[in-house]
Amino acid sequence: MSRRDFDPATVTPDGRPPAKAKLFDGSVPGPYRGSVNGEVLGTGITVLTYGNDEPGIGPVLHVHPYDEVFVIQQGRARFFVGDEVIDAEAGETVLGPAGVPHRFVNLGPGRLQTVDIHLSPRWIQTNLE
């Protein structure tokens, strides 16, 4: 599929160099294996990785002052976003809008693995449980 969504001649590079940061160490146990603040990469997004092997387990109810996008890489999850309940599986994405409390749990069977994209240069969170 060929795409041409914009004219490259209309974009001027802002002078930032390419950047690299380690997101996680696969040998580290626990559900939160790592994060990269956008500040490290010189961008406005922060990336986290989350995973667990136990159905019914997930992060506590929390809220952010910015949007969060969840990318389900493996398994199935049930998201509680405000008053909505959303079931999602590998290959799907879920939006947690700014200011809306949310949490999710592994639906099983097997591992749930997500990449969580915070639309902020820093991870900012208030736990509500």
Side-chain angles (χ1 to χ4, degrees), residues 24-34 48-57 71-78 88-91 104-115:
F24 68 92
D25 178 347
S27 68
V28 175
Y32 291 100
R33 291 189 175 163
L48 284 74
T49 181
Y50 176 89
N52 80 56
D53 297 301
E54 191 173 344
I57 299 298
V71 180
I72 296 83
Q73 294 188 299
Q74 180 181 351
R76 300 179 323 124
R78 175 161 292 146
E89 61 185 30
F104 61 90
V105 296
N106 181 348
L107 279 179
R111 184 162 187 80
L112 169 64
Q113 187 67 54
T114 68
V115 171

Side-chain angles (χ1 to χ4, degrees), residues 76-88:
R76 300 179 323 124
R78 175 161 292 146
F79 288 83
F80 303 88
V81 183
D83 294 332
E84 300 290 323
V85 177
I86 302 168
D87 288 351

Side-chain angles (χ1 to χ4, degrees), residues 19-45:
K20 172 181 142 177
K22 188 166 191 160
L23 177 58
F24 68 92
D25 178 347
S27 68
V28 175
Y32 291 100
R33 291 189 175 163
S35 65
V36 174
N37 279 340
E39 297 163 328
V40 171
L41 297 175
T43 188
I45 66 163

Side-chain angles (χ1 to χ4, degrees), residues 9 12 14 16-18 26 28 41 46 60 63 70 78 89 99 103 113-114 117 129:
T12 303
D14 63 11
R16 289 178 298 151
V28 175
L41 297 175
T46 293
V60 299
V63 65
F70 304 91
R78 175 161 292 146
E89 61 185 30
R103 67 182 183 89
Q113 187 67 54
T114 68
I117 302 167
E129 294 182 336

